[in-house]
């Protein structure tokens, strides 16, 4: 079976690598020549367009920034649709708007292509380790066909429901992760400014009822003042914006999410959109002129 992979950035690269290491031949495409060269070094072959990938492959994966790029890759000039044929499967691993996933799926379906939306969670570290959660929307039979491949990428592969439902689950998950990160930052700033050792406070919270996945970012990132991505604030902002749009469409108030998107807006306005999502802590730090650092481990 010939596989394709479009978009080999921070998280696409390790996901694609797992497919190569599982023994599959993978034809890759990326607008960035550097990113494409990196995956070729890891054993992929290079294509010069999404159409070329679609022409040669049975199943195409993609990991792209957001709705605009997914539409372009799937339906744009030199896109997958130009080589569409019955039997071709397209699995989008990006975090997309549910409505865009549905629109792209419908357009491809007219040409016989079946699309699944299959966003992932667990970060670049989870992708490196192959432990991601994968949440899939779309045709159940096609899901069963793709599941063994997705199990190379993730440790927990879920079928959520119809096309777009994977993205719904993912946007809810990310909204919670961002809100938890902002809340953990406030707690850590207050506790450390009150004189408690950062590592001790971290250990206590993670063993207590305030524990969260978001806290995991402190020892490796915030304590060291290391805000290199990982997962950028720009991408997190895109996800939270999509979640708030869903809230708007369904008349669901999202008070915590609204606060959190304003913290991200502040970072982006200060030129930190390309920094890691853990830099939400810096908004709290800057407000009180205090840094949550643990220099003994630096
Ligand atoms: P990234 O920006 O590092 O990677 C995106 C890749 O897509 C880049 O290599 C870019 O050159 C390429 N690209 C952009 N436009 C393209 C086009 N038109 N055609 C082909 N390639 C194109 O982003 P990332 O962090 O790897 O995230 C990718 C997706 O995964 C996003 O939707 C993100 O929300 C999601 N995600 C990321 C993480 C994470 O921790 N990084 C975690 C979960 C989900």
């Amino acid at each position: 079976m010939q596989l394709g992979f479009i978009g080999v950035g921070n998280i696409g690269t390790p996901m694609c690598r797992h497919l190569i290491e599982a023994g599959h031949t993978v034809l890759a495409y990326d607008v960035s020549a550097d990113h494409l060269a990196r995956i070729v070094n890891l054993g992929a072959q290079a294509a010069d367009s999404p159409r070329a990938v679609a022409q040669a492959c049975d199943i195409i994966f993609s990991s792209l920034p957001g709705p605009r790029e997914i539409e372009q890759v799937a339906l744009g000039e030199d896109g997958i649709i130009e080589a569409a044929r019955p039997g071709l499967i397209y699995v989008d691993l990006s975090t997309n708007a549910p409505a865009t996933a549905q629109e792209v799926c419908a357009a491809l379906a007219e040409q016989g292509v079946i699309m699944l939306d299959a966003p992932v969670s667990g970060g670049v570290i989870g992708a490196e380790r192959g432990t991601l959660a994968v949440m899939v929307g779309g045709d159940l039979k096609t899901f069963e066909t793709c599941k063994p491949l997705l199990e190379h990428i993730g440790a927990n592969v879920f079928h959520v429901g119809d096309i777009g439902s994977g993205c719904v689950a993912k946007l809810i998950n990310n909204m919670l992760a961002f809100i938890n990160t902002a809340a953990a930052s406030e707690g850590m700033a207050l506790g450390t400014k009150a004189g408690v050792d950062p590592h001790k406070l971290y250990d206590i919270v993670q063993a207590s009822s305030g524990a969260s996945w978001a806290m995991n970012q402190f020892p490796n990132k915030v304590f060291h003042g290391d805000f290199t991505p990982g997962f950028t604030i720009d991408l997190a902002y895109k996800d939270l914006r999509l979640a708030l749009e869903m809230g708007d469409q369904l008349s669901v108030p999202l008070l915590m999410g609204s606060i959190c998107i304003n913290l991200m807006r502040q970072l982006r306005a200060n030129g930190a959109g390309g920094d890691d999502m853990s830099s939400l802590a810096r908004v709290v730090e800057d407000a009180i002129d205090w840094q949550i650092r643990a220099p003994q481990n630096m």
Side-chain angles (χ1 to χ4, degrees), residues 63-84:
S63 177
L64 296 158
R68 193 164 44 103
E69 293 81 5
I70 294 156
E71 265 184 339
Q72 191 188 342
V73 159
L75 309 180
E77 196 183 335
D78 266 341
I80 292 170
I81 199 151
E82 292 190 6

Side-chain angles (χ1 to χ4, degrees), residues 28-86:
Y29 172 71
D30 196 296
V31 282
S32 157
D34 288 350
H35 292 185
L36 194 55
R38 180 173 61 187
I39 202 69
V40 167
N41 276 335
L42 294 171
Q45 289 141 6
D48 61 9
S49 68
R51 177 162 65 104
V53 174
Q55 249 157 6
C57 294
D58 306 298
I59 302 180
I60 307 165
F61 295 89
S62 65
S63 177
L64 296 158
R68 193 164 44 103
E69 293 81 5
I70 294 156
E71 265 184 339
Q72 191 188 342
V73 159
L75 309 180
E77 196 183 335
D78 266 341
I80 292 170
I81 199 151
E82 292 190 6
R85 61 193 180 279

Side-chain angles (χ1 to χ4, degrees), residues 126-241:
E128 295 284 357
R129 293 178 182 157
T131 58
L132 293 172
V134 190
M135 39 211 102
V136 187
D139 177 61
L140 191 55
K141 194 161 159 273
T142 308
F143 168 75
E144 294 298 346
T145 304
C146 296
K147 197 174 173 207
L149 296 170
L150 293 171
E151 283 171 343
H152 294 308
I153 290 170
N156 294 295
V157 179
F158 301 93
H159 185 259
V160 188
D162 292 340
I163 184 74
S165 62
C167 288
V168 172
K170 170 66 179 168
L171 293 178
I172 302 311
N173 175 77
N174 278 23
M175 182 174 74
L176 295 176
F178 306 148
I179 292 168
N180 290 346
T181 300
S185 300
E186 281 191 359
M188 290 302 287
L190 178 62
T192 55
K193 196 164 185 186
V196 179
D197 173 77
H199 284 284
K200 230 169 237 174
L201 187 54
Y202 170 84
D203 288 343
I204 291 164
V205 171
Q206 291 298 67
S208 307
S209 53
S212 67
W213 181 92
M215 281 288 285
N216 289 335
Q217 298 161 91
F218 282 79
N220 290 329
K221 302 295 285 180
V222 182
F223 286 179
H224 292 259
D226 172 10
F227 298 104
T228 52
F231 183 54
T232 62
I233 285 289
D234 283 341
L235 284 178
Y237 182 82
K238 175 241 347 177
D239 293 352
L240 192 46
R241 197 172 46 76

